[in-house]
Amino acid sequence: DILLYQADLVPVGEDQRQHLELTRDIARRFNDQYCKGNQAKKLRGTSRPVFKEPEALVSKTTARIMSLQDGTNKMSKSASSDLSRINLLDTPDEIREKIKRCKTDSLLGIEYGNKERPEATNLLNLYSAATDRPVEELLNEVQDLSWGQFKPLVADAMVEKLKPIREKYDEVTKEPEILGSVLEDGANAANEIATATSTWAKQAMGFTTLAEIQQKTINA
């Protein structure tokens, strides 16, 4: 999909970089093999690359958000427990309950980067992402707090961060006809890009497209 739709930037987590690198390798290999030299110009009329080599779009603080139930495992929508993650459409009460019940330790104060306290690091990353403030700045404010004092701050920040998403979702789902129209327009636009990319790839490899066959038939 990344190559088919000519993506420039791909939002990924740190653990997904390897998949994007594989995609870039495939694009580079195809372009090198089929899109250079006189043969490419003869087949397509141009030797420009077929596929773009997309770049990773990774947030430093949220590149790898961990589970609320285990600070050593990444947060995942496929995890068996819903308490392990914050869903975009969770209600404020659900978010607060999940943060309240998330795993912590028995040590005093809040730390960042201590491998023995992964949950502290994870909650600080969440707090940073929700407030758009650097971890270092936040740590100066919360390092002496207890978990009972810190968790409500994280929960309130997450509620506010996700509020516009919940409100927009509620707004658009009230108008199913408009939503359907927007989805159809998007699908048509995506299909146009995909069709063009597929055609370019076939031409670069020397395959005859249906459109070319039909045109030859008409000319004949």
Side-chain angles (χ1 to χ4, degrees):
D1 290 349
I2 295 171
L3 296 180
L4 187 63
Y5 296 109
Q6 300 288 340
D8 293 301
L9 294 173
V10 183
V12 294
E14 193 62 49
D15 59 318
Q16 296 169 317
R17 277 184 180 271
Q18 59 183 336
H19 303 301
L20 186 60
E21 285 305 315
L22 174 60
T23 302
R24 288 170 53 83
D25 288 343
I26 293 172
R28 189 178 306 116
R29 183 172 178 79
F30 185 98
N31 291 336
D32 286 345
Q33 186 165 349
Y34 295 109
C35 305
K36 291 184 176 180
N38 293 330
Q39 182 64 17
K41 289 184 178 180
K42 180 179 178 181
L43 289 171
R44 302 171 57 225
T46 178
S47 58
R48 73 168 182 79
V50 168
F51 298 117
K52 293 182 178 180
E53 292 184 33
E55 299 288 342
L57 181 62
V58 182
S59 169
K60 292 182 180 180
T61 57
T62 56
R64 192 173 176 82
I65 293 296
M66 313 308 286
S67 167
L68 296 177
Q69 297 296 300
D70 182 353
T72 62
N73 289 325
K74 70 174 185 177
M75 185 179 290
S76 172
K77 63 181 181 181
S78 61
S80 58
S81 175
D82 193 55
L83 293 175
S84 67
R85 58 185 173 271
I86 301 294
N87 302 302
L88 294 179
L89 299 179
D90 279 346
T91 65
D93 287 344
E94 288 173 332
I95 293 174
R96 292 190 173 93
E97 183 65 16
K98 289 179 179 181
I99 297 296
K100 180 181 179 180
R101 297 177 60 181
C102 73
K103 181 183 176 183
T104 52
D105 53 49
S106 59
L107 300 179
L108 298 176
I110 309 299
E111 292 183 85
Y112 187 81
N114 184 343
K115 293 183 179 180
E116 301 299 320
R117 306 187 68 190
E119 287 78 22
T121 296
N122 192 39
L123 283 185
L124 269 168
N125 278 334
L126 283 173
Y127 193 30
S128 174
T131 58
D132 296 317
R133 296 172 61 192
V135 169
E136 295 76 12
E137 179 181 312
L138 294 171
L139 188 58
N140 289 331
E141 300 176 5
V142 305
Q143 59 186 348
D144 296 324
L145 299 183
S146 66
W147 286 114
Q149 295 170 313
F150 180 50
K151 284 185 176 181
L153 296 179
V154 179
D156 289 343
M158 290 300 300
V159 167
E160 287 303 309
K161 185 70 173 181
L162 297 180
K163 182 179 179 181
I165 296 177
R166 290 191 304 273
E167 291 180 342
K168 189 64 176 179
Y169 177 83
D170 290 340
E171 178 185 339
V172 298
T173 52
K174 290 178 181 177
E175 301 289 347
E177 292 183 359
I178 295 178
L179 179 59
S181 175
V182 171
L183 290 174
E184 184 177 358
D185 289 344
N188 290 337
N191 186 60
E192 183 176 340
I193 295 172
T195 299
T197 302
S198 178
T199 299
W200 296 338
K202 291 175 181 177
Q203 290 174 338
M205 297 172 71
F207 289 105
T208 301
T209 66
L210 178 60
E212 290 172 333
I213 294 175
Q214 292 172 335
Q215 186 61 45
K216 289 179 180 179
T217 301
I218 293 173
N219 292 339

